[in-house]
Tab-separated table of all heavy atoms in Angstrom:
chain	number	residue	atom	x	y	z
A	258	GLU	N	-11.617	-18.377	-2.878
A	258	GLU	CA	-12.487	-19.133	-1.982
A	258	GLU	C	-11.901	-20.509	-1.674
A	258	GLU	O	-12.221	-21.121	-0.664
A	258	GLU	CB	-13.887	-19.299	-2.593
A	258	GLU	CG	-14.547	-18.012	-3.043
A	258	GLU	CD	-14.945	-17.119	-1.879
A	258	GLU	OE1	-15.299	-17.646	-0.821
A	258	GLU	OE2	-14.885	-15.884	-2.052
A	269	LEU	N	-3.081	-15.279	1.975
A	269	LEU	CA	-4.404	-14.960	2.506
A	269	LEU	C	-4.387	-14.961	4.031
A	269	LEU	O	-5.037	-14.134	4.668
A	269	LEU	CB	-5.438	-15.957	1.982
A	269	LEU	CG	-5.854	-15.734	0.529
A	269	LEU	CD1	-6.556	-16.955	-0.023
A	269	LEU	CD2	-6.768	-14.521	0.429
A	270	ALA	N	-3.622	-15.878	4.611
A	270	ALA	CA	-3.617	-15.987	6.074
A	270	ALA	C	-2.810	-14.873	6.715
A	270	ALA	O	-3.017	-14.548	7.875
A	270	ALA	CB	-3.057	-17.340	6.495
A	271	SER	N	-1.863	-14.289	5.961
A	271	SER	CA	-1.005	-13.291	6.582
A	271	SER	C	-1.568	-11.895	6.427
A	271	SER	O	-0.998	-10.925	6.887
A	271	SER	CB	0.400	-13.349	5.980
A	271	SER	OG	0.353	-13.008	4.617
A	272	ARG	N	-2.705	-11.794	5.758
A	272	ARG	CA	-3.293	-10.509	5.494
A	272	ARG	C	-4.286	-10.218	6.614
A	272	ARG	O	-5.195	-11.008	6.849
A	272	ARG	CB	-4.053	-10.684	4.181
A	272	ARG	CG	-4.429	-9.464	3.478
A	272	ARG	CD	-5.054	-9.880	2.148
A	272	ARG	NE	-5.424	-8.679	1.452
A	272	ARG	CZ	-6.566	-8.067	1.641
A	272	ARG	NH1	-7.465	-8.573	2.464
A	272	ARG	NH2	-6.824	-6.955	0.994
A	273	PRO	N	-4.102	-9.105	7.328
A	273	PRO	CA	-5.098	-8.818	8.360
A	273	PRO	C	-6.462	-8.639	7.699
A	273	PRO	O	-6.556	-8.029	6.642
A	273	PRO	CB	-4.627	-7.496	8.969
A	273	PRO	CG	-3.285	-7.238	8.429
A	273	PRO	CD	-3.121	-8.033	7.195
A	274	ARG	N	-7.466	-9.230	8.294
A	274	ARG	CA	-8.798	-9.087	7.709
A	274	ARG	C	-9.729	-8.399	8.674
A	274	ARG	O	-9.569	-8.500	9.887
A	274	ARG	CB	-9.373	-10.459	7.358
A	274	ARG	CG	-9.020	-10.919	5.969
A	274	ARG	CD	-8.865	-12.385	5.973
A	274	ARG	NE	-7.876	-12.734	6.983
A	274	ARG	CZ	-7.745	-13.929	7.481
A	274	ARG	NH1	-8.520	-14.876	7.120
A	274	ARG	NH2	-6.815	-14.175	8.389
A	275	ILE	N	-10.705	-7.735	8.117
A	275	ILE	CA	-11.652	-7.036	8.967
A	275	ILE	C	-12.834	-7.966	9.191
A	275	ILE	O	-13.739	-8.060	8.380
A	275	ILE	CB	-12.049	-5.702	8.320
A	275	ILE	CG1	-10.790	-4.857	8.154
A	275	ILE	CG2	-13.085	-4.988	9.163
A	275	ILE	CD1	-10.987	-3.570	7.428
A	276	THR	N	-12.774	-8.707	10.293
A	276	THR	CA	-13.820	-9.667	10.599
A	276	THR	C	-14.183	-9.501	12.052
A	276	THR	O	-13.405	-8.996	12.843
A	276	THR	CB	-13.324	-11.111	10.401
A	276	THR	OG1	-12.110	-11.253	11.148
A	276	THR	CG2	-13.060	-11.427	8.956
A	277	ILE	N	-15.381	-9.954	12.395
A	277	ILE	CA	-15.785	-9.913	13.797
A	277	ILE	C	-16.041	-11.344	14.247
A	277	ILE	O	-16.865	-12.015	13.638
A	277	ILE	CB	-17.050	-9.065	13.981
A	277	ILE	CG1	-16.747	-7.649	13.480
A	277	ILE	CG2	-17.476	-9.044	15.435
A	277	ILE	CD1	-17.971	-6.822	13.272
A	278	PRO	N	-15.399	-11.882	15.269
A	278	PRO	CA	-14.313	-11.216	15.993
A	278	PRO	C	-13.036	-11.179	15.150
A	278	PRO	O	-12.987	-11.804	14.103
A	278	PRO	CB	-14.134	-12.123	17.200
A	278	PRO	CG	-14.514	-13.470	16.707
A	278	PRO	CD	-15.616	-13.254	15.712
A	279	LYS	N	-12.046	-10.456	15.653
A	279	LYS	CA	-10.774	-10.395	14.940
A	279	LYS	C	-10.181	-11.797	14.811
A	279	LYS	O	-10.248	-12.575	15.751
A	279	LYS	CB	-9.787	-9.523	15.731
A	279	LYS	CG	-10.098	-8.054	15.669
A	279	LYS	CD	-9.045	-7.252	16.406
A	279	LYS	CE	-9.461	-5.795	16.477
A	279	LYS	NZ	-8.506	-4.994	17.233
A	280	GLU	N	-9.635	-12.091	13.668
A	280	GLU	CA	-8.979	-13.377	13.493
A	280	GLU	C	-7.478	-13.159	13.519
A	280	GLU	O	-6.988	-12.210	12.934
A	280	GLU	CB	-9.369	-13.986	12.136
A	280	GLU	CG	-10.831	-14.325	12.038
A	280	GLU	CD	-11.253	-14.646	10.610
A	280	GLU	OE1	-10.354	-14.957	9.794
A	280	GLU	OE2	-12.442	-14.580	10.330
A	281	PRO	N	-6.759	-14.047	14.200
A	281	PRO	CA	-5.311	-13.867	14.236
A	281	PRO	C	-4.710	-14.038	12.835
A	281	PRO	O	-5.277	-14.742	11.995
A	281	PRO	CB	-4.824	-14.971	15.170
A	281	PRO	CG	-5.936	-15.937	15.269
A	281	PRO	CD	-7.208	-15.223	14.942
A	282	ILE	N	-3.582	-13.396	12.602
A	282	ILE	CA	-2.917	-13.568	11.320
A	282	ILE	C	-1.762	-14.535	11.487
A	282	ILE	O	-1.152	-14.618	12.534
A	282	ILE	CB	-2.397	-12.229	10.746
A	282	ILE	CG1	-1.638	-11.430	11.793
A	282	ILE	CG2	-3.514	-11.430	10.155
A	282	ILE	CD1	-1.028	-10.156	11.260
A	283	ALA	N	-1.503	-15.302	10.441
A	283	ALA	CA	-0.426	-16.284	10.473
A	283	ALA	C	0.601	-15.900	9.434
A	283	ALA	O	0.363	-16.068	8.243
A	283	ALA	CB	-0.987	-17.674	10.189
A	346	ASP	N	-5.912	-23.206	8.431
A	346	ASP	CA	-7.312	-23.626	8.547
A	346	ASP	C	-8.240	-22.464	8.827
A	346	ASP	O	-9.435	-22.547	8.578
A	346	ASP	CB	-7.475	-24.668	9.652
A	346	ASP	CG	-7.338	-26.059	9.080
A	346	ASP	OD1	-7.165	-26.154	7.851
A	346	ASP	OD2	-7.397	-27.029	9.847
A	347	ARG	N	-7.662	-21.393	9.336
A	347	ARG	CA	-8.522	-20.274	9.681
A	347	ARG	C	-9.122	-19.631	8.455
A	347	ARG	O	-10.115	-18.934	8.543
A	347	ARG	CB	-7.717	-19.239	10.448
A	347	ARG	CG	-7.321	-19.732	11.799
A	347	ARG	CD	-6.586	-18.657	12.537
A	347	ARG	NE	-5.552	-19.244	13.356
A	347	ARG	CZ	-4.282	-19.255	13.009
A	347	ARG	NH1	-3.895	-18.697	11.883
A	347	ARG	NH2	-3.406	-19.818	13.782
A	348	ILE	N	-8.509	-19.848	7.319
A	348	ILE	CA	-9.016	-19.206	6.121
A	348	ILE	C	-10.340	-19.808	5.712
A	348	ILE	O	-11.315	-19.140	5.485
A	348	ILE	CB	-8.062	-19.411	4.952
A	348	ILE	CG1	-6.704	-18.908	5.313
A	348	ILE	CG2	-8.583	-18.714	3.729
A	348	ILE	CD1	-5.768	-19.003	4.185
A	349	GLU	N	-10.385	-21.066	5.639
A	349	GLU	CA	-11.501	-21.724	4.985
A	349	GLU	C	-11.331	-23.197	5.331
A	349	GLU	O	-10.216	-23.666	5.501
A	349	GLU	CB	-11.328	-21.535	3.482
A	349	GLU	CG	-12.478	-21.304	2.552
A	349	GLU	CD	-13.740	-20.751	3.154
A	349	GLU	OE1	-13.729	-19.880	4.060
A	349	GLU	OE2	-14.766	-21.243	2.713
B	1	MET	N	-4.473	-6.512	20.690
B	1	MET	CA	-5.857	-6.938	20.514
B	1	MET	C	-6.639	-6.807	21.812
B	1	MET	O	-7.847	-6.836	21.809
B	1	MET	CB	-5.916	-8.387	20.060
B	1	MET	CG	-5.356	-8.567	18.663
B	1	MET	SD	-5.587	-10.232	18.147
B	1	MET	CE	-7.258	-10.206	17.580
B	3	GLU	N	-8.286	-4.921	24.877
B	3	GLU	CA	-8.939	-3.629	24.814
B	3	GLU	C	-8.981	-2.978	26.178
B	3	GLU	O	-9.986	-3.028	26.875
B	3	GLU	CB	-10.365	-3.783	24.261
B	3	GLU	CG	-10.371	-4.523	22.949
B	3	GLU	CD	-11.295	-3.902	21.940
B	3	GLU	OE1	-12.100	-3.060	22.318
B	3	GLU	OE2	-11.191	-4.275	20.762
B	238	ASP	N	-3.353	1.713	5.803
B	238	ASP	CA	-3.999	0.435	5.516
B	238	ASP	C	-4.988	0.104	6.629
B	238	ASP	O	-4.609	-0.199	7.754
B	238	ASP	CB	-2.930	-0.654	5.408
B	238	ASP	CG	-3.515	-1.980	4.959
B	238	ASP	OD1	-4.718	-2.209	5.208
B	238	ASP	OD2	-2.782	-2.779	4.371
B	239	LEU	N	-6.268	0.169	6.281
B	239	LEU	CA	-7.283	0.027	7.318
B	239	LEU	C	-7.319	-1.359	7.920
B	239	LEU	O	-7.660	-1.518	9.089
B	239	LEU	CB	-8.653	0.387	6.731
B	239	LEU	CG	-8.782	1.871	6.464
B	239	LEU	CD1	-9.666	2.131	5.273
B	239	LEU	CD2	-9.342	2.558	7.691
B	240	SER	N	-6.946	-2.388	7.154
B	240	SER	CA	-7.012	-3.720	7.755
B	240	SER	C	-5.901	-3.891	8.793
B	240	SER	O	-6.100	-4.570	9.795
B	240	SER	CB	-6.995	-4.822	6.700
B	240	SER	OG	-6.287	-4.444	5.568
B	241	VAL	N	-4.743	-3.265	8.560
B	241	VAL	CA	-3.674	-3.302	9.560
B	241	VAL	C	-4.142	-2.583	10.832
B	241	VAL	O	-3.991	-3.085	11.946
B	241	VAL	CB	-2.389	-2.644	9.011
B	241	VAL	CG1	-1.367	-2.452	10.112
B	241	VAL	CG2	-1.801	-3.489	7.893
B	242	ILE	N	-4.741	-1.407	10.644
B	242	ILE	CA	-5.253	-0.634	11.775
B	242	ILE	C	-6.289	-1.437	12.563
B	242	ILE	O	-6.253	-1.514	13.786
B	242	ILE	CB	-5.883	0.686	11.265
B	242	ILE	CG1	-4.794	1.640	10.788
B	242	ILE	CG2	-6.746	1.340	12.319
B	242	ILE	CD1	-4.007	2.294	11.890
B	243	TYR	N	-7.204	-2.057	11.829
B	243	TYR	CA	-8.244	-2.832	12.492
B	243	TYR	C	-7.634	-3.936	13.332
B	243	TYR	O	-8.038	-4.186	14.461
B	243	TYR	CB	-9.175	-3.450	11.448
B	243	TYR	CG	-10.256	-4.312	12.044
B	243	TYR	CD1	-11.387	-3.736	12.596
B	243	TYR	CD2	-10.134	-5.695	12.074
B	243	TYR	CE1	-12.368	-4.517	13.159
B	243	TYR	CE2	-11.116	-6.487	12.636
B	243	TYR	CZ	-12.229	-5.896	13.175
B	243	TYR	OH	-13.199	-6.667	13.748
B	244	TYR	N	-6.625	-4.569	12.765
B	244	TYR	CA	-6.041	-5.719	13.434
B	244	TYR	C	-5.311	-5.329	14.709
B	244	TYR	O	-5.412	-5.989	15.718
B	244	TYR	CB	-5.073	-6.428	12.476
B	244	TYR	CG	-4.522	-7.692	13.061
B	244	TYR	CD1	-5.327	-8.818	13.169
B	244	TYR	CD2	-3.226	-7.743	13.525
B	244	TYR	CE1	-4.836	-9.978	13.728
B	244	TYR	CE2	-2.729	-8.899	14.084
B	244	TYR	CZ	-3.539	-10.009	14.189
B	244	TYR	OH	-3.054	-11.154	14.745
B	245	ILE	N	-4.572	-4.250	14.669
B	245	ILE	CA	-3.621	-3.979	15.744
B	245	ILE	C	-4.147	-2.994	16.795
B	245	ILE	O	-3.698	-3.014	17.928
B	245	ILE	CB	-2.285	-3.498	15.140
B	245	ILE	CG1	-1.148	-3.689	16.144
B	245	ILE	CG2	-2.360	-2.081	14.632
B	245	ILE	CD1	0.213	-3.643	15.510
B	246	SER	N	-5.127	-2.159	16.439
B	246	SER	CA	-5.486	-1.079	17.362
B	246	SER	C	-6.610	-1.459	18.311
B	246	SER	O	-7.493	-2.233	17.966
B	246	SER	CB	-5.952	0.157	16.582
B	246	SER	OG	-5.201	0.329	15.440
B	262	PRO	N	-13.585	3.144	19.947
B	262	PRO	CA	-13.021	1.797	20.033
B	262	PRO	C	-13.091	1.140	18.645
B	262	PRO	O	-14.066	1.334	17.920
B	262	PRO	CB	-13.932	1.080	21.022
B	262	PRO	CG	-14.609	2.166	21.793
B	262	PRO	CD	-14.721	3.327	20.865
B	263	THR	N	-12.044	0.373	18.316
B	263	THR	CA	-11.920	-0.161	16.960
B	263	THR	C	-13.195	-0.845	16.467
B	263	THR	O	-13.683	-0.565	15.374
B	263	THR	CB	-10.754	-1.165	16.909
B	263	THR	OG1	-9.607	-0.512	17.434
B	263	THR	CG2	-10.478	-1.603	15.502
B	264	LEU	N	-13.717	-1.733	17.306
B	264	LEU	CA	-14.848	-2.528	16.852
B	264	LEU	C	-16.059	-1.641	16.564
B	264	LEU	O	-16.723	-1.794	15.542
B	264	LEU	CB	-15.189	-3.566	17.929
B	264	LEU	CG	-15.632	-4.915	17.396
B	264	LEU	CD1	-14.590	-5.496	16.459
B	264	LEU	CD2	-15.900	-5.864	18.552
B	265	ASP	N	-16.334	-0.688	17.458
B	265	ASP	CA	-17.478	0.210	17.261
B	265	ASP	C	-17.295	1.033	15.997
B	265	ASP	O	-18.214	1.174	15.190
B	265	ASP	CB	-17.624	1.159	18.442
B	265	ASP	CG	-17.846	0.418	19.742
B	265	ASP	OD1	-16.866	-0.137	20.277
B	265	ASP	OD2	-18.983	0.364	20.198
B	266	LEU	N	-16.084	1.557	15.839
B	266	LEU	CA	-15.849	2.434	14.702
B	266	LEU	C	-15.960	1.675	13.378
B	266	LEU	O	-16.485	2.193	12.398
B	266	LEU	CB	-14.475	3.081	14.844
B	266	LEU	CG	-14.211	4.220	13.864
B	266	LEU	CD1	-13.677	5.422	14.614
B	266	LEU	CD2	-13.245	3.829	12.793
B	267	PHE	N	-15.483	0.437	13.356
B	267	PHE	CA	-15.542	-0.318	12.102
B	267	PHE	C	-16.929	-0.888	11.836
B	267	PHE	O	-17.306	-1.065	10.688
B	267	PHE	CB	-14.498	-1.449	12.092
B	267	PHE	CG	-13.153	-1.011	11.588
B	267	PHE	CD1	-12.301	-0.267	12.397
B	267	PHE	CD2	-12.732	-1.319	10.307
B	267	PHE	CE1	-11.063	0.155	11.932
B	267	PHE	CE2	-11.489	-0.902	9.832
B	267	PHE	CZ	-10.660	-0.165	10.653
B	268	THR	N	-17.687	-1.195	12.905
B	268	THR	CA	-19.013	-1.761	12.657
B	268	THR	C	-20.057	-0.672	12.446
B	268	THR	O	-20.964	-0.837	11.644
B	268	THR	CB	-19.464	-2.683	13.804
B	268	THR	OG1	-19.198	-2.015	15.032
B	268	THR	CG2	-18.723	-3.991	13.774
B	269	SER	N	-19.930	0.444	13.160
B	269	SER	CA	-20.899	1.516	12.932
B	269	SER	C	-20.182	2.848	12.791
B	269	SER	O	-20.204	3.663	13.711
B	269	SER	CB	-21.918	1.560	14.060
B	269	SER	OG	-21.252	1.814	15.275
B	279	LEU	N	-14.107	3.271	4.855
B	279	LEU	CA	-14.298	1.846	5.114
B	279	LEU	C	-14.880	1.151	3.886
B	279	LEU	O	-14.534	0.016	3.584
B	279	LEU	CB	-15.210	1.629	6.320
B	279	LEU	CG	-14.638	2.089	7.654
B	279	LEU	CD1	-15.597	1.759	8.785
B	279	LEU	CD2	-13.300	1.424	7.929
B	282	ILE	N	-12.334	-0.087	1.110
B	282	ILE	CA	-11.350	-1.167	1.299
B	282	ILE	C	-11.665	-2.304	0.334
B	282	ILE	O	-12.777	-2.805	0.307
B	282	ILE	CB	-11.432	-1.746	2.729
B	282	ILE	CG1	-11.362	-0.637	3.759
B	282	ILE	CG2	-10.339	-2.770	2.961
B	282	ILE	CD1	-11.628	-1.134	5.150
B	283	PRO	N	-10.695	-2.719	-0.458
B	283	PRO	CA	-10.960	-3.867	-1.312
B	283	PRO	C	-11.051	-5.134	-0.454
B	283	PRO	O	-10.209	-5.358	0.401
B	283	PRO	CB	-9.735	-3.931	-2.234
B	283	PRO	CG	-8.852	-2.807	-1.863
B	283	PRO	CD	-9.321	-2.228	-0.583
B	284	ARG	N	-12.068	-5.913	-0.668
B	284	ARG	CA	-12.258	-7.107	0.149
B	284	ARG	C	-12.013	-8.349	-0.686
B	284	ARG	O	-12.431	-8.420	-1.837
B	284	ARG	CB	-13.687	-7.160	0.704
B	284	ARG	CG	-14.040	-5.997	1.608
B	284	ARG	CD	-13.274	-6.117	2.907
B	284	ARG	NE	-13.518	-4.965	3.765
B	284	ARG	CZ	-14.516	-4.884	4.639
B	284	ARG	NH1	-15.390	-5.851	4.736
B	284	ARG	NH2	-14.644	-3.829	5.398
B	285	VAL	N	-11.391	-9.320	-0.068
B	285	VAL	CA	-11.150	-10.577	-0.775
B	285	VAL	C	-12.449	-11.373	-0.912
B	285	VAL	O	-12.782	-11.886	-1.968
B	285	VAL	CB	-10.083	-11.406	-0.038
B	285	VAL	CG1	-10.020	-12.808	-0.600
B	285	VAL	CG2	-8.727	-10.743	-0.161
B	286	ARG	N	-13.204	-11.423	0.185
B	286	ARG	CA	-14.378	-12.276	0.186
B	286	ARG	C	-15.591	-11.499	-0.278
B	286	ARG	O	-15.837	-10.386	0.146
B	286	ARG	CB	-14.625	-12.820	1.596
B	286	ARG	CG	-13.409	-13.494	2.195
B	286	ARG	CD	-13.000	-14.694	1.383
B	286	ARG	NE	-14.090	-15.634	1.268
B	286	ARG	CZ	-14.379	-16.514	2.213
B	286	ARG	NH1	-13.662	-16.583	3.298
B	286	ARG	NH2	-15.389	-17.337	2.057
B	287	LYS	N	-16.347	-12.154	-1.169
B	287	LYS	CA	-17.485	-11.476	-1.785
B	287	LYS	C	-18.513	-11.006	-0.768
B	287	LYS	O	-19.002	-9.892	-0.818
B	287	LYS	CB	-18.175	-12.445	-2.748
B	287	LYS	CG	-17.869	-12.155	-4.192
B	287	LYS	CD	-18.779	-12.977	-5.054
B	287	LYS	CE	-17.943	-13.937	-5.860
B	287	LYS	NZ	-18.623	-15.147	-6.254
B	288	GLU	N	-18.826	-11.913	0.195
B	288	GLU	CA	-19.940	-11.593	1.095
B	288	GLU	C	-19.631	-10.395	1.986
B	288	GLU	O	-20.521	-9.801	2.552
B	288	GLU	CB	-20.321	-12.822	1.942
B	288	GLU	CG	-19.220	-13.329	2.833
B	288	GLU	CD	-18.399	-14.423	2.146
B	288	GLU	OE1	-18.260	-14.398	0.912
B	288	GLU	OE2	-17.906	-15.298	2.849
B	289	ARG	N	-18.318	-10.045	2.094
B	289	ARG	CA	-17.984	-8.925	2.961
B	289	ARG	C	-17.998	-7.600	2.218
B	289	ARG	O	-17.830	-6.556	2.813
B	289	ARG	CB	-16.599	-9.132	3.559
B	289	ARG	CG	-16.484	-10.425	4.303
B	289	ARG	CD	-15.717	-10.265	5.587
B	289	ARG	NE	-15.683	-11.530	6.285
B	289	ARG	CZ	-14.676	-12.387	6.179
B	289	ARG	NH1	-13.642	-12.083	5.458
B	289	ARG	NH2	-14.715	-13.524	6.817
B	290	ARG	N	-18.158	-7.673	0.891
B	290	ARG	CA	-18.093	-6.423	0.137
B	290	ARG	C	-19.332	-5.584	0.417
B	290	ARG	O	-20.429	-6.097	0.532
B	290	ARG	CB	-17.999	-6.714	-1.360
B	290	ARG	CG	-16.605	-7.192	-1.673
B	290	ARG	CD	-16.444	-7.560	-3.116
B	290	ARG	NE	-15.310	-8.481	-3.173
B	290	ARG	CZ	-15.092	-9.316	-4.146
B	290	ARG	NH1	-15.915	-9.378	-5.173
B	290	ARG	NH2	-14.056	-10.104	-4.126
B	291	THR	N	-19.110	-4.332	0.528
B	291	THR	CA	-20.231	-3.459	0.840
B	291	THR	C	-20.501	-2.566	-0.356
B	291	THR	O	-19.736	-2.531	-1.301
B	291	THR	CB	-19.881	-2.576	2.044
B	291	THR	OG1	-18.551	-2.097	1.868
B	291	THR	CG2	-19.967	-3.340	3.324
Side-chain angles (χ1 to χ4, degrees):
Chain A
E258 307 290 327
L269 284 164
S271 64
R272 197 175 180 274
R274 271 146 305 162
I275 300 175
T276 52
I277 301 165
K279 287 183 187 177
E280 295 168 19
I282 48 176
D346 268 358
R347 291 183 215 101
I348 304 184
E349 217 22 38
Chain B
M1 293 185 82
E3 307 223 347
D238 186 334
L239 289 148
S240 30
V241 170
I242 288 285
Y243 178 79
Y244 185 73
I245 200 163
S246 322
T263 307
L264 217 56
D265 300 76
L266 191 131
F267 273 77
T268 46
S269 61
L279 294 183
I282 309 172
R284 298 290 176 88
V285 169
R286 307 298 303 278
K287 256 191 244 153
E288 61 267 31
R289 304 222 178 95
R290 285 177 203 159
T291 44

